[in-house]
Amino acid sequence: MIYLLRKDVHNIMWPISDLWSLISKNPSITISIASLAISLYTLWRQRKRITISFDPALFVLDPKKDILVLDEPYPFASDVAFWFTIHVINPSNVNLSFFDLRVFDPDTNKNHFILTKKTMVETLSHFPIHLRPYGPDGYTADIPEHNYGSIKAGDVMRLDIIVIRNLDAPLGDELTVSLKVPTTSIFHRSRFSNTDRKIYRAYEHTYSLSGWEKVLAARNYPQEPTQKVDNRNNSNNG
């Protein structure tokens, strides 16, 4: 038994010894192997990585008094709005982007409106937006420029998503937010997507809207910072 083990070890070590002898006698092989290792490491370093997380809290807003620009309510026709945040982290060393940011009713796949710099009234789009989800104390929102954008390598981005109810679309018991990044993915697709794009990875989260009418009706200032809809963690990173 010991002899057989020694023989097996000898059979394994012999080609390794021959390979090392070949490499040591041929500097060109050594250089090629080193170049291959550097190329593989560079490829690994430049791979696309991104982390997207959705804040579990969804706040109900009265558009007529909770969304302010220049201390005046922004001119909305809708009767209700919602606010939540998305955090995007790009730990890779290459710039990345996102696109097809949308919020919709998951039962009908019909969109509600997202407030962005490009959808705002042009004369007001350069001024900050103040939200009052808790009462008189304001919060300065950082809304996206478009429904797409870029994030630099090693950067962190916070997106305040203000959803304005589409009066021509139903408002059911749930609200789904979705965005895509241009990376190849077989499994992380969106069943709600109606695009012909093939190379993307979808990130989605569904919020419960149960009880939003009662929250909106209770918007009497001052109030405690508890006026938000209870939500379950229903994220889909793909």
Side-chain angles (χ1 to χ4, degrees):
M1 178 65 71
I2 296 175
Y3 171 77
L4 292 176
L5 287 175
R6 287 178 176 176
K7 185 177 181 180
D8 290 339
V9 171
H10 176 76
N11 291 336
I12 294 173
M13 295 302 297
W14 182 256
I16 296 177
S17 176
D18 284 349
L19 179 62
W20 177 252
S21 177
L22 179 64
I23 293 174
S24 61
K25 294 179 180 178
N26 295 272
S28 60
I29 297 179
T30 304
I31 294 174
S32 298
I33 293 176
S35 300
L36 177 61
I38 293 173
S39 298
L40 292 175
Y41 176 74
T42 302
L43 183 63
W44 178 82
R45 284 275 296 170
Q46 292 182 345
R47 73 192 190 280
K48 295 179 179 180
R49 295 176 296 158
I50 194 169
T51 299
I52 297 177
S53 60
F54 301 88
D55 196 307
L58 174 79
F59 293 89
V60 180
L61 303 175
D62 183 343
K64 296 177 176 60
K65 60 183 178 181
D66 293 335
I67 306 175
L68 308 177
V69 179
L70 296 177
D71 295 327
E72 294 291 335
Y74 187 84
F76 290 114
S78 183
D79 58 341
V80 66
F82 304 97
W83 164 54
F84 58 87
T85 57
I86 301 175
H87 301 273
V88 184
I89 303 174
N90 180 10
S92 62
N93 65 344
V94 294
N95 296 339
L96 293 175
S97 60
F98 67 88
F99 61 94
D100 281 358
L101 172 63
R102 58 188 292 253
V103 178
F104 55 93
D105 185 310
D107 292 330
T108 63
N109 203 21
K110 290 188 175 181
N111 290 338
H112 292 280
F113 301 117
I114 297 176
L115 189 63
T116 68
K117 291 292 186 181
K118 292 302 180 182
T119 59
M120 289 182 65
V121 176
E122 186 176 357
T123 55
L124 299 177
S125 62
H126 302 292
F127 298 99
I129 296 177
H130 297 284
L131 305 180
R132 299 197 300 181
Y134 314 130
D137 295 334
Y139 166 84
T140 302
D142 190 6
I143 65 173
E145 290 282 339
H146 308 267
N147 68 337
Y148 59 89
S150 60
I151 177 170
K152 295 180 179 180
D155 203 359
V156 178
M157 177 187 295
R158 174 191 173 103
L159 298 174
D160 287 306
I161 307 301
I162 301 174
V163 184
I164 309 300
R165 178 182 184 178
N166 180 0
L167 297 178
D168 295 326
L171 187 61
D173 295 329
E174 293 181 326
L175 202 64
T176 297
V177 54
S178 174
L179 74 162
K180 303 181 181 73
V181 295
T183 58
T184 303
S185 178
I186 298 176
F187 302 104
H188 298 88
R189 313 287 285 182
S190 174
R191 63 186 178 92
F192 302 104
S193 180
N194 54 8
T195 180
D196 293 331
R197 297 184 180 94
K198 303 300 182 182
I199 301 177
Y200 75 85
R201 174 173 179 167
Y203 294 82
E204 295 174 345
H205 184 85
T206 297
Y207 291 94
S208 171
L209 297 183
S210 177
W212 71 264
E213 298 96 335
K214 294 181 180 179
V215 173
L216 187 64
R219 304 298 297 196
N220 296 318
Y221 304 131
Q223 61 187 5
E224 296 298 323
T226 58
Q227 299 296 319
K228 61 183 179 183
V229 175
D230 292 332
N231 271 287
R232 61 182 179 274
N233 187 7
N234 191 15
S235 293
N236 173 24
N237 291 342

